[in-house]
Amino acid sequence: MNILIKPIITEKATANSELRNCYTFSVNTKANKVEIKKAVEAAYGVSVEKVRTINVRPDRKTKFTKTGIQHGKTNAVKKAIVQLAEGEMIDLYSNM
Protein backbone atom coordinates (compact mmCIF):
# COMPACT_ATOMS: atom_id res chain seq x y z
CA MET A 1 0.00 0.00 0.00
CA ASN A 2 1.49 3.31 -1.11
CA ILE A 3 0.72 5.77 1.69
CA LEU A 4 1.96 9.12 0.32
CA ILE A 5 0.34 9.96 -3.00
CA LYS A 6 1.59 13.50 -3.66
CA PRO A 7 2.36 16.76 -1.87
CA ILE A 8 -0.29 19.45 -2.09
CA ILE A 9 1.19 22.74 -3.30
CA THR A 10 -1.35 25.57 -3.02
CA GLU A 11 -1.10 29.10 -1.69
CA LYS A 12 -2.55 28.08 1.66
CA ALA A 13 -0.32 25.00 1.99
CA THR A 14 2.80 26.96 1.01
CA ALA A 15 2.05 29.71 3.53
CA ASN A 16 1.44 27.05 6.18
CA SER A 17 4.81 25.44 5.44
CA GLU A 18 6.66 28.77 5.60
CA LEU A 19 4.99 30.10 8.75
CA ARG A 20 4.20 26.99 10.83
CA ASN A 21 6.57 24.34 9.38
CA CYS A 22 3.53 22.20 8.36
CA TYR A 23 3.43 20.36 5.05
CA THR A 24 0.30 19.00 3.36
CA PHE A 25 0.14 15.67 1.53
CA SER A 26 -2.55 13.74 -0.28
CA VAL A 27 -2.51 10.26 1.28
CA ASN A 28 -4.21 6.89 0.92
CA THR A 29 -7.74 6.94 2.37
CA LYS A 30 -7.05 3.88 4.54
CA ALA A 31 -3.78 5.14 6.05
CA ASN A 32 -3.71 6.13 9.72
CA LYS A 33 -1.61 8.78 11.47
CA VAL A 34 1.15 6.39 12.59
CA GLU A 35 1.62 5.04 9.06
CA ILE A 36 1.66 8.56 7.61
CA LYS A 37 4.29 9.65 10.14
CA LYS A 38 6.56 6.69 9.32
CA ALA A 39 6.13 7.22 5.56
CA VAL A 40 7.08 10.92 5.72
CA GLU A 41 10.08 10.21 7.95
CA ALA A 42 11.28 7.46 5.59
CA ALA A 43 10.69 9.41 2.37
CA TYR A 44 12.17 12.77 3.38
CA GLY A 45 14.50 11.94 6.31
CA VAL A 46 12.90 14.36 8.80
CA SER A 47 11.38 13.97 12.26
CA VAL A 48 7.62 14.50 12.50
CA GLU A 49 6.02 16.00 15.61
CA LYS A 50 2.31 15.95 14.75
CA VAL A 51 0.01 14.58 12.05
CA ARG A 52 -3.50 15.88 11.39
CA THR A 53 -5.79 14.23 8.85
CA ILE A 54 -8.79 15.47 6.87
CA ASN A 55 -11.28 13.30 4.99
CA VAL A 56 -12.63 15.31 2.05
CA ARG A 57 -16.02 14.12 0.85
CA PRO A 58 -16.82 13.76 -2.85
CA ASP A 59 -18.62 16.63 -4.57
CA ARG A 60 -21.76 15.69 -6.48
CA LYS A 61 -22.52 17.59 -9.67
CA THR A 62 -25.46 17.72 -12.07
CA LYS A 63 -25.30 18.94 -15.68
CA PHE A 64 -28.25 19.69 -17.90
CA THR A 65 -27.36 18.76 -21.49
CA LYS A 66 -29.23 18.16 -24.76
CA THR A 67 -29.28 14.42 -24.10
CA GLY A 68 -30.66 14.79 -20.58
CA ILE A 69 -29.44 15.19 -17.04
CA GLN A 70 -25.90 13.95 -16.33
CA HIS A 71 -24.95 13.08 -12.75
CA GLY A 72 -21.36 12.78 -11.56
CA LYS A 73 -19.11 13.05 -8.56
CA THR A 74 -15.47 13.61 -7.69
CA ASN A 75 -13.37 11.12 -5.75
CA ALA A 76 -13.09 11.17 -1.97
CA VAL A 77 -9.56 12.03 -0.82
CA LYS A 78 -7.68 12.15 2.45
CA LYS A 79 -5.24 14.94 3.28
CA ALA A 80 -2.57 14.90 5.96
CA ILE A 81 -1.02 18.01 7.49
CA VAL A 82 2.37 17.05 8.91
CA GLN A 83 4.17 19.30 11.41
CA LEU A 84 7.93 18.86 11.50
CA ALA A 85 10.33 19.35 14.37
CA GLU A 86 11.88 22.78 14.88
CA GLY A 87 14.66 23.50 12.39
CA GLU A 88 13.69 20.78 9.89
CA MET A 89 12.22 21.39 6.45
CA ILE A 90 11.23 19.58 3.26
CA ASP A 91 12.24 20.98 -0.12
CA LEU A 92 9.33 19.78 -2.27
CA TYR A 93 10.58 21.39 -5.46
CA SER A 94 13.91 19.55 -5.65
CA ASN A 95 12.36 16.08 -5.07
CA MET A 96 10.08 16.19 -8.11
Side-chain angles (χ1 to χ4, degrees):
M1 176 169 82
N2 192 8
I3 295 174
L4 295 178
I5 297 172
K6 63 179 179 178
I8 296 175
I9 302 173
T10 59
E11 287 184 34
K12 188 174 183 178
T14 305
N16 207 9
S17 66
E18 291 172 356
L19 298 175
R20 296 187 183 94
N21 206 18
C22 295
Y23 295 87
T24 307
F25 294 93
S26 177
V27 296
N28 191 330
T29 55
K30 296 185 180 188
N32 60 28
K33 291 182 180 185
V34 177
E35 293 172 340
I36 294 168
K37 178 179 178 178
K38 289 179 183 176
V40 170
E41 287 177 345
Y44 295 103
V46 294
S47 59
V48 175
E49 282 187 356
K50 187 192 292 188
V51 177
R52 294 180 302 228
T53 59
I54 304 163
N55 284 312
V56 180
R57 65 174 167 74
D59 288 333
R60 299 191 184 278
K61 297 183 179 182
T62 304
K63 274 195 248 180
F64 298 97
T65 63
K66 283 196 275 187
T67 58
I69 299 173
Q70 302 292 323
H71 298 284
K73 70 178 184 80
T74 60
N75 293 331
V77 294
K78 187 172 193 175
K79 296 180 188 178
I81 300 173
V82 178
Q83 183 172 359
L84 301 182
E86 192 68 35
E88 305 228 356
M89 65 176 286
I90 297 173
D91 190 10
L92 296 174
Y93 298 105
S94 67
N95 292 333
M96 290 185 170

